[in-house]
Amino acid sequence: MDGYAGKILRINLSTKEIFKAPLPEKMCDEFIGGRGFVAKILYDELPPDTDPFGKNNLFIIATGPLSGHFLPASGKTHFGSKSPATGGYADSNMGGHFGPALKYAGYDMAVITGKAANPSYLYINDDNIEIRSAKAYWGHGSLTCEEMMKKDLGKDFQILTIGPAGEKLVRFACISHDFGRQAGRTGIGAVLGSKNIKAIAVKGTGAIPVFDLEKAYAKGKQAFKKVSQKPGFKGWTPEGTAGITDWVNEVGALPAKNFQTSHIDHSSEINGKKVIERLKITDKGCYCCPTPCGKYGHTITSMGSAYMEGPEFETISLFGGNCLLKTIEEVAYANYLCDELGIDTISGGSVAAFAIECFEKGLITEKEIGKKIKFGDLESIVYLLNLMSKKETASEKIKNGSEKFAIHVKGLEWTGYECRNAPSMMLAYMTADVGAHHNRAWVLGHDVVGAATNVHDLITAGADGAKRSKAVVSPKDSAKFVIDSQHIRPAFDLLGCCRLQMMELGFEVENYAQLYSVITGKKITWDEKVWNLTRLISAREI
Ligand code: SF4
């Protein structure tokens, strides 16, 4: 089947059965790939009322029909499961190079069930699939484990890992890959931990069939050119998502002190410019990306020094805003620690701020938590992150009325936007199938200027552009903005591409439809089917 590798890899860790099933063409036509495949398989195969940490839960890895092809930013990989964080439908995606490598090995998807008897890792080397002992790696941090495995297996392997938080089944544990790319949300790392899987290593040397190779090459080349000619091309990449920090703060949407306020005084100390000035060693991009928004750098703080990728906006917002860390070096160190421990930086920053607010209000005591903790103090944050990774804190155990300070939707902590001033963004969080996640709809621009626009245009419009529109966005308009965004964004998650070229630079979505046609020989249609299916799964499970 053109565009696809053509096979699903199915692994039962309990019985050690491994087999390769053909990828159904009907599923490709109806659900395209990535998030669509995750939704379809979960809906059909997840037994109702499954324990997220039970052996019957599924762990799904899914690529899309454009993953691994010659076109801009075709390196996104999707993961799906029943969420330990929400009890409902879960998916999370990451960039890097894992998905293309899986396709080159011959598999569009991997569906993993059961539980390994001992700590293990999956070894996928083209046709050779093995469940191997992970005794040497268990207990190590995510970044350390990846480095060890690269040394042991060779640098040609693409590796994803979990950290101590995933091993301990922390409900917001993430998956790490490529020393700084994470599938962070919905607790997907803890599902892998519950299956006793520390890592998955893949090397692929095959090719993927293409419907019209000549046209696909020409269209791909043209797409790179078009992206590079977009007005935001030169301005957006240097700072990446961190570039919006000052703007979000200026419009009153940056969370601070566990979302008690929506503005901080020190955003100029933790913004994208400071990432470049004080941390950056080099730009870092995902597979085939012409706009490498990742920043690989080094940080030195009173709590230690580290090499890390980031921080991007969400991490800055949750640790620099919500936890009030004062410098970009401190935010970067918290970022490093989350990556090494295997904690989602969004949930980690949110839970740390929640604990500090509870401490300030006397709902938890120094005796209970073992230390005085306060906002703006890196030592407190490091202490709390280490506690979280050992599963020694749990918000539901604090009680004393603390629930009203826990900022979440469906059990998933908010991402980096305070919504008192942003009703559309609030609606997007409230209606997102996975819980509070900007992946489903980013509509803050609508709330601020009352029109559809992208972040780059808002920032380059300068102070006037950042000012709030006098025309208040009506609830009806908010609903329309959110629905439109929720229906366009899945396209990227289905195809296996990064959405930032479209969202930030205005690279038109029609380009992806054309690329899909020349690569698969089919016409693209995506509608509400995937969205409805994921909501049905949560309706059934929660
Ligand atoms: Fe990865 Fe950033 Fe490029 Fe998207 S824009 S593919 S997240 S490097």
Side-chain angles (χ1 to χ4, degrees):
M1 208 179 338
D2 291 329
Y4 297 88
K7 286 195 292 279
I8 303 176
L9 181 60
R10 287 188 175 266
I11 300 174
N12 185 324
L13 296 164
S14 300
T15 62
K16 298 186 179 167
E17 282 171 292
I18 297 171
F19 72 97
K20 298 152 193 173
L23 182 74
E25 188 163 1
K26 190 167 183 289
M27 185 169 84
C28 297
D29 291 346
E30 288 188 19
F31 295 94
I32 299 172
R35 196 194 325 170
F37 285 177
V38 165
K40 174 68 176 155
I41 297 281
L42 278 178
Y43 189 76
D44 287 351
E45 299 184 20
L46 181 77
D49 298 324
T50 296
D51 175 357
F53 293 144
K55 60 182 172 42
N56 286 337
N57 197 6
L58 305 176
F59 181 84
I60 302 169
I61 308 171
T63 65
L66 300 193
S67 303
H69 289 284
F70 174 64
L71 57 103
S74 58
K76 286 280 180 181
T77 312
H78 255 78
F79 301 90
S81 203
K82 177 168 175 173
S83 170
T86 69
Y89 168 82
D91 72 45
S92 193
N93 75 63
M94 70 179 189
H97 307 260
F98 188 91
L102 188 68
K103 273 182 88 171
Y104 300 150
Y107 316 102
D108 300 283
M109 294 180 78
V111 181
I112 300 161
T113 60
K115 179 178 179 175
N118 298 300
S120 306
Y121 78 92
L122 297 178
Y123 175 87
I124 304 171
N125 186 355
D126 288 331
D127 270 350
N128 182 14
I129 320 287
E130 295 173 33
I131 304 168
R132 291 184 169 184
S133 169
K135 204 171 157 199
Y137 308 122
W138 200 260
H140 287 285
S142 278
L143 306 173
T144 306
C145 177
E146 185 170 358
E147 196 179 348
M148 291 167 78
M149 292 184 76
K150 284 260 183 190
K151 275 192 191 134
D152 293 347
L153 301 177
K155 63 180 170 43
D156 291 346
F157 276 85
Q158 298 300 331
I159 294 163
L160 60 84
T161 59
I162 59 165
E167 295 173 14
K168 294 269 187 184
L169 313 188
V170 174
R171 288 175 192 272
F172 42 87
C174 68
I175 287 169
S176 283
H177 160 61
D178 198 30
F179 303 102
R181 290 283 150 183
Q182 275 81 26
R185 309 244 65 204
T186 67
I188 213 93
V191 176
L192 210 51
S194 75
K195 299 195 171 301
N196 255 338
I197 293 295
K198 175 71 178 173
I200 303 177
V202 62
K203 183 175 154 191
T205 58
I208 311 166
V210 169
F211 175 70
D212 188 332
L213 190 57
E214 218 168 285
K215 272 196 191 149
Y217 177 69
K219 281 264 172 228
K221 208 169 151 190
Q222 192 188 47
F224 280 104
K225 195 171 171 194
K226 280 186 189 172
V227 169
S228 73
Q229 288 170 342
K230 289 289 170 193
F233 180 71
K234 286 208 174 83
W236 184 79
T237 309
E239 295 182 27
T241 60
I244 65 169
T245 307
D246 288 333
W247 179 82
V248 176
N249 190 44
E250 195 175 336
V251 301
L254 197 77
K257 297 184 81 176
N258 195 30
F259 289 82
Q260 291 180 63
T261 69
S262 57
H263 186 270
I264 59 172
D265 293 331
H266 66 287
S267 84
S268 61
E269 292 303 311
I270 57 169
N271 62 15
K273 286 183 183 53
K274 289 294 183 287
V275 172
I276 295 173
E277 280 169 30
R278 296 201 196 146
L279 305 173
K280 189 185 118 171
I281 296 170
T282 182
D283 291 327
K284 183 165 173 271
C286 306
Y287 180 87
C288 237
C289 180
T291 55
C293 72
K295 309 297 150 201
Y296 195 74
H298 186 245
T299 184
I300 302 174
T301 72
S302 58
M303 296 302 292
S305 61
Y307 288 94
M308 78 288 133
E309 182 178 336
E312 44 66 71
F313 170 73
E314 298 298 330
T315 309
I316 289 175
S317 177
L318 271 304
F319 281 107
N322 213 26
C323 293
L324 287 187
L325 290 182
K326 295 180 276 303
T327 66
I328 198 66
E329 286 88 347
E330 290 184 343
V331 173
Y333 193 75
N335 189 156
Y336 154 75
L337 200 58
C338 284
D339 290 358
E340 180 71 340
L341 295 171
I343 291 173
D344 171 31
T345 57
I346 296 170
S347 293
S350 194
V351 171
F354 165 78
I356 296 172
E357 184 174 6
C358 287
F359 184 83
E360 282 188 343
K361 290 188 158 62
L363 302 176
I364 44 173
T365 63
E366 186 179 346
K367 198 172 163 205
E368 283 167 323
I369 202 151
K371 183 179 166 44
K372 275 193 180 120
I373 50 174
K374 57 185 179 187
F375 285 113
D377 177 36
L378 181 62
E379 195 179 330
S380 298
I381 303 303
V382 168
Y383 181 77
L384 288 168
L385 289 173
N386 278 307
L387 277 189
M388 285 177 215
S389 74
K390 293 176 191 148
K391 217 177 175 182
E392 288 177 10
T393 55
S395 59
E396 64 266 30
K397 285 186 189 153
I398 296 173
K399 296 204 173 96
N400 297 331
S402 62
E403 318 82 68
K404 62 185 169 199
F405 307 117
I407 311 296
H408 68 93
V409 171
K410 299 185 178 81
L412 191 71
E413 293 79 12
W414 286 24
T415 58
Y417 307 97
E418 213 297 321
C419 293
R420 282 181 187 84
N421 290 318
S424 309
M425 198 65 219
M426 174 71 92
L427 185 65
Y429 280 163
M430 287 162 63
T431 55
D433 53 354
V434 288
H437 194 358
H438 63 282
N439 164 280
R440 290 345 199 204
W442 190 95
V443 285
L444 187 59
H446 301 306
D447 284 320
V448 174
V449 298
T453 187
N454 62 35
V455 174
H456 175 262
D457 290 346
L458 289 168
I459 295 167
T460 51
D464 287 341
K467 275 181 197 155
R468 289 186 167 276
S469 164
K470 285 200 178 116
V472 176
V473 181
S474 76
K476 201 171 150 202
D477 285 345
S478 287
K480 185 183 176 326
F481 290 147
V482 172
I483 290 168
D484 286 352
S485 188
Q486 286 176 345
H487 286 178
I488 194 71
R489 284 189 160 219
F492 303 93
D493 293 348
L494 305 186
L495 294 169
C497 299
C498 179
R499 66 173 181 268
L500 293 175
Q501 288 68 32
M502 187 231 170
M503 297 294 166
E504 308 302 351
L505 307 181
F507 180 57
E508 299 79 7
V509 73
E510 293 73 28
N511 290 298
Y512 294 95
Q514 289 168 14
L515 284 159
Y516 175 84
S517 288
V518 291
I519 286 170
T520 66
K522 295 177 177 177
K523 285 215 171 353
I524 200 164
T525 53
W526 62 80
D527 51 27
E528 297 167 27
K529 203 181 291 166
V530 173
W531 187 253
N532 290 338
L533 209 52
T534 59
R535 291 180 66 86
L536 272 174
I537 294 166
S538 286
R540 187 181 68 188
E541 298 299 324
I542 298 178

